[in-house]
Amino acid sequence: MASVVDATCITLTFPAGPEHIRLARLVASGLVAQLDYGLDDVEDLRIAVDELCALVVAHAQNNSTLTVSFELRDDVITVRAAAPSAHPEKEIEADELSRLILLAAADEHLLSQNQGDVVGWLRKQPAMAAE
Amino acid sequence: MASVVDATCITLTFPAGPEHIRLARLVASGLVAQLDYGLDDVEDLRIAVDELCALVVAHAQNNSTLTVSFELRDDVITVRAAAPSAHPEKEIEADELSRLILLAAADEHLLSQNQGDVVGWLRKQPAMAAE
Amino acid sequence: MTDESGAFGLTRAVEGTTATLSLSGELDTSAARNVDRAVDELVAAGAKSLVIDLGEISFIDSSGLRSLIRARQQLGDGTDAVHLRNPQPGTMRLLEITGLQDQFRLV
Amino acid sequence: MTDESGAFGLTRAVEGTTATLSLSGELDTSAARNVDRAVDELVAAGAKSLVIDLGEISFIDSSGLRSLIRARQQLGDGTDAVHLRNPQPGTMRLLEITGLQDQFRLV
Ligand SMILES: Nc1ncnc2c1ncn2[C@@H]1O[C@H](COP(=O)(O)OP(=O)(O)O)[C@@H](O)[C@H]1O
Ligand SMILES: Nc1ncnc2c1ncn2[C@@H]1O[C@H](COP(=O)(O)OP(=O)(O)O)[C@@H](O)[C@H]1O
């Protein structure tokens, strides 16, 4: 599994509300379960995906749909979460707690408005990839 | 949760190969984890979703994408799995083992070709809904 | 299945003006609402201090942390108003990452 | 995580012409290929009878059952060629649903 070259893309969509964010955590951990991710890396990915989805959901229109796309290339995972924005004109940023958690749990993350959607993005690589 | 009236729709897409079918099982069990599903119902749903996806994957084009849609209305779950068909003209049916398992684990199931896609569908209701 | 689903659970106990809230499973945005509601009810019923037992929490995110902060505020924001009991390594890590570990009394 | 991921595992042991294949985790289409390959290698190495230990299997589907049937065929299809050890309730249920429980010796 460590030598996969093409990206594997998995997409999950669900109503943009807090009740289903655990599905995104489940898919995230299921996705890396057979890779070189240690327990700590899996937990970091779960929390990062959770924060990303929660941020997007917080700025999403009522009754809209959240789309979470996972892309896996070798053991690097990128996650994009997007939903129609409740206020497309407003600048948005992660609050302090979410920002600190994403900084610690992901290698890179972004949050922005894009063509009417609120979009979150992150990249995560296992800490002990060479193991 | 037992009185949800509108349907909740969750969609999962992944490369149409055997390696990722466990993600569909994960989402299936995650989805009903907070409903009136007993352990046996959850296991039946997992095996039914697994067989459905495996059947569709077996008839899907190489390098195509499988789309698994879960619809939850009260505690009835319907699952539709579809992918571009490798042989759209051919009649397909589940082999005997899969058929027997789907008969036992789901309340109803269908497998067919539809506009170039191979499509599987099932409906499942918890055995002890009134519990 | 219990481990896999990580379903959130909450139980309360009251002794005089001290209430104990025992949480289990995954404390995410969805579950945090239940914590907020329970805290409000305990305060309305006269609780002056609160012990939140985190020993069975398998996951907590920023929403969960916000509920802990909110609980302290509802109880008057005193340093002794809220005690966190038995936080597990993952919870401790999140408290450290966010600089909150000094703002709560850990028991 | 081990329980949640249900990753498939396979170990072999050989004693004379009897081989034991111990399986764990989720035996689905993806994992069944590994079983088929292991059976072929054991047969090529001279195994005449096979014990398949299912005690740690947490999930099996029709692909897993097909691998069991295929193993018996590879070993000459004798009723004594393949023994299934310690099938759990879920596995037993699937053997019953499919009418296969009489086609294997359970030990
Ligand atoms: N966000 C979290 N909330 C609650 N528990 C967690 C969280 N992340 C990890 N854990 C749990 O805490 C334990 C240690 O995880 P972790 O924080 O990654 O360790 P470390 O502090 O060594 O990096 C694990 O058993 C894990 O299940
Ligand atoms: N397809 C399966 N493969 C392997 N184990 C299973 C499967 N389905 C259920 N199990 C396990 O077997 C046990 C009994 O499940 P089940 O077959 O639903 O019981 P029952 O025979 O009482 O209906 C459970 O612990 C479950 O985890």
Side-chain angles (χ1 to χ4, degrees):
Chain A
M1 288 299 284
S3 62
V4 176
V5 173
D6 288 339
T8 301
C9 300
I10 283 94
T11 303
L12 178 70
T13 68
F14 53 84
E19 326 72 273
H20 297 295
I21 293 179
R22 67 199 163 79
L23 294 178
R25 295 197 299 268
L26 260 186
V27 169
S29 44
L31 203 51
V32 297
Q34 297 178 338
L35 298 181
D36 275 346
Y37 275 62
L39 270 189
D40 285 3
D41 288 319
V42 176
E43 281 305 334
D44 277 357
L45 179 65
R46 277 165 61 82
I47 181 87
V49 166
D50 173 271
E51 294 293 337
L52 196 74
C53 291
L55 283 169
V56 172
V57 162
H59 295 284
Q61 277 172 33
N62 283 339
N63 300 317
S64 65
T65 295
L66 178 70
T67 300
V68 190
S69 314
F70 301 86
E71 193 180 295
L72 201 61
R73 195 179 294 272
D74 289 325
D75 54 4
V76 179
I77 188 163
T78 55
V79 184
R80 182 183 185 275
S85 178
H87 36 65
E89 316 302 326
K90 228 171 76 179
E91 245 193 69
I92 55 172
E93 56 178 25
D95 65 275
E96 187 63 6
L97 289 183
S98 303
R99 202 179 61 81
L100 289 170
I101 294 172
L102 279 164
L103 274 175
D107 292 294
E108 190 184 347
H109 74 275
L110 302 168
L111 182 68
S112 68
Q113 305 259 23
N114 188 5
Q115 302 188 303
D117 280 354
V118 49
V119 182
W121 181 92
L122 68 79
R123 183 172 50 78
K124 168 82 187 157
Q125 187 157 9
M128 294 167 289
E131 190 189 27
Chain B
M1 289 299 285
S3 62
V4 176
V5 172
D6 288 339
T8 301
C9 299
I10 284 95
T11 303
L12 178 69
T13 68
F14 54 83
E19 327 70 274
H20 297 296
I21 293 178
R22 67 199 164 81
L23 294 178
R25 295 197 298 269
L26 260 186
V27 169
S29 45
L31 203 52
V32 297
Q34 299 179 337
L35 298 182
D36 275 346
Y37 275 61
L39 271 188
D40 285 2
D41 288 319
V42 176
E43 282 305 335
D44 276 357
L45 179 65
R46 278 165 60 84
I47 181 86
V49 166
D50 174 90
E51 293 293 337
L52 196 74
C53 291
L55 283 169
V56 172
V57 163
H59 295 284
Q61 278 172 30
N62 282 338
N63 301 316
S64 65
T65 296
L66 178 70
T67 301
V68 190
S69 314
F70 301 86
E71 194 180 296
L72 201 61
R73 195 179 293 271
D74 288 326
D75 55 4
V76 179
I77 187 164
T78 56
V79 184
R80 183 182 184 275
S85 178
H87 36 64
E89 315 303 326
K90 227 171 77 179
E91 245 192 71
I92 55 174
E93 55 179 24
D95 65 276
E96 187 63 5
L97 289 182
S98 304
R99 203 180 60 80
L100 289 170
I101 294 171
L102 279 164
L103 273 175
D107 292 294
E108 190 184 348
H109 73 275
L110 301 168
L111 183 67
S112 69
Q113 305 260 24
N114 188 6
Q115 302 187 304
D117 281 355
V118 49
V119 182
W121 182 92
L122 69 78
R123 183 172 51 78
K124 169 81 186 157
Q125 188 156 9
M128 295 167 288
E131 191 190 29
Chain C
M1 283 309 303
T2 321
D3 288 340
E4 190 165 338
S5 80
F8 177 73
L10 181 158
T11 59
R12 320 149 187 225
V14 177
E15 237 191 275
T17 59
T18 299
T20 301
L21 210 50
S22 300
L23 311 180
S24 61
E26 304 195 333
L27 178 43
D28 65 0
T29 313
S30 181
R33 297 169 170 182
N34 300 323
V35 176
D36 295 348
R37 201 177 315 129
V39 168
D40 291 349
E41 287 168 9
L42 290 168
V43 170
K48 299 278 177 252
S49 77
L50 182 61
V51 177
I52 303 182
D53 191 324
L54 301 169
E56 297 295 321
I57 283 295
S58 58
F59 178 86
I60 185 168
D61 67 7
S62 63
S63 312
L65 297 179
R66 270 180 226 110
S67 284
L68 302 182
I69 297 169
R70 183 180 177 283
R72 210 189 44 200
Q73 294 167 340
Q74 297 303 98
L75 281 145
D77 237 351
T79 39
D80 257 351
V82 171
H83 290 68
L84 303 184
R85 182 187 288 162
N86 203 14
Q88 298 298 299
T91 303
M92 276 311 295
R93 176 155 182 253
L94 232 65
L95 289 168
E96 285 159 19
I97 287 172
T98 53
L100 290 172
Q101 84 271 41
D102 300 329
Q103 301 192 30
F104 288 96
R105 193 139 309 189
L106 306 180
V107 290
Chain D
M1 283 310 303
T2 319
D3 288 340
E4 192 164 338
S5 81
F8 177 72
L10 180 159
T11 60
R12 320 150 188 225
V14 178
E15 237 192 275
T17 58
T18 299
T20 301
L21 209 51
S22 300
L23 312 180
S24 61
E26 303 195 335
L27 178 44
D28 65 0
T29 313
S30 181
R33 297 169 171 184
N34 299 322
V35 176
D36 295 347
R37 200 177 315 128
V39 167
D40 291 349
E41 288 168 9
L42 290 168
V43 170
K48 300 279 176 250
S49 77
L50 182 62
V51 178
I52 304 182
D53 191 323
L54 300 170
E56 298 295 321
I57 284 293
S58 57
F59 177 85
I60 186 168
D61 66 7
S62 63
S63 312
L65 298 180
R66 270 180 227 110
S67 284
L68 302 182
I69 297 170
R70 183 180 176 285
R72 210 190 43 200
Q73 292 167 341
Q74 296 303 98
L75 281 145
D77 237 351
T79 39
D80 257 351
V82 172
H83 291 68
L84 303 185
R85 183 186 288 162
N86 204 14
Q88 298 298 299
T91 303
M92 276 310 296
R93 175 155 182 252
L94 232 64
L95 289 168
E96 285 159 20
I97 286 172
T98 53
L100 290 172
Q101 83 271 39
D102 300 329
Q103 301 192 30
F104 289 96
R105 192 139 309 189
L106 305 180
V107 289

